[in-house]
Amino acid sequence: GINFERTNTWWRPGKAWMDYLTRCQSLLQQGRFVADVLVMLDEGAPSYGGWRHELAIPLPAGYDYDFANLDALRESRVEHGVIVHQHGMRYRVLMLPATGRASPALMREVLRLAEAGAALAAPRDFTRAHGMAPDEEVAGLWDKITATGRAVVGENFEAFEKKLGLAPDFAHDAGAG
């Protein structure tokens, strides 16, 4: 760490650097994050998002992602198949948690987005709420979600990528010289 305050010896000579950082932050704060996948966090505790290879469906290189909870889904809508959060962030796919369990409230939001045209990636079918026993409401909502034709179930993102025609934002051939 560093004691970052006005009595540092380089404070006055560093003014140009601080001004530059201020301008950069201002520009960055004006932008809106755009990612390929919005990853729904598990509603249970502890809730851990993870790295791309730890996600419910591991993402290959070239795809970016962000995390959401139930509140973020409630604050989102679908425009031309793209999930748009009320603050402007945009996502092409909603990835559901690996647990196969969800609250009925979450399933209702997922159904709302799927019916509006959002694409969904799920590693497994959803049949349970947070208990161990099957939950009829959750399973019924999941059946409605899959009936929209917008959900792909599987543990391989490449199959999902092909079905929707998604291409990575960035590709790099490490062998090219």
Side-chain angles (χ1 to χ4, degrees):
I2 184 172
N3 185 17
F4 185 77
E5 44 91 19
R6 65 181 177 79
T7 63
N8 291 109
T9 57
W10 51 265
W11 190 258
R12 286 191 182 170
K15 182 177 179 348
W17 174 247
M18 294 301 130
D19 290 345
Y20 169 74
L21 292 177
T22 300
R23 286 191 306 276
C24 289
Q25 286 299 312
S26 175
L27 288 173
L28 288 170
Q29 290 175 22
Q30 291 175 34
R32 295 289 179 255
F33 185 65
V34 176
D36 301 294
V37 181
L38 181 60
V39 178
M40 181 66 202
L41 291 169
D42 183 44
E43 294 175 290
S47 186
Y48 169 70
W51 299 98
R52 76 177 49 257
H53 67 278
E54 298 174 314
L55 297 176
I57 302 170
L59 291 179
Y63 293 93
D64 205 354
Y65 62 101
D66 200 358
F67 296 105
N69 60 15
L70 178 57
D71 291 334
L73 291 188
R74 287 180 174 144
E75 297 168 348
S76 298
R77 64 189 183 285
V78 178
E79 294 178 0
H80 308 291
V82 175
I83 300 166
V84 181
H85 187 267
Q86 71 180 5
H87 294 297
M89 289 79 69
R90 303 174 74 82
Y91 310 94
R92 298 191 291 174
V93 178
L94 174 62
M95 182 186 298
L96 299 176
T99 59
R101 67 177 186 244
S103 67
L106 172 60
M107 287 289 98
R108 283 190 288 275
E109 288 302 314
V110 172
L111 177 59
R112 177 183 65 82
L113 294 172
E115 288 177 337
L120 309 172
R124 61 174 20 156
D125 290 326
F126 281 74
T127 57
R128 298 180 292 135
H130 289 288
M132 295 300 290
D135 183 281
E136 290 180 22
E137 185 177 5
V138 169
L141 288 165
W142 180 248
D143 288 342
K144 289 179 182 178
I145 291 166
T146 56
T148 65
R150 301 298 300 163
V152 176
V153 179
E155 296 181 6
N156 183 328
F157 192 77
E158 286 78 10
F160 190 81
E161 185 179 29
K162 287 177 187 172
K163 180 178 180 185
L164 291 179
L166 296 176
D169 293 330
F170 176 79
H172 170 67
D173 182 3

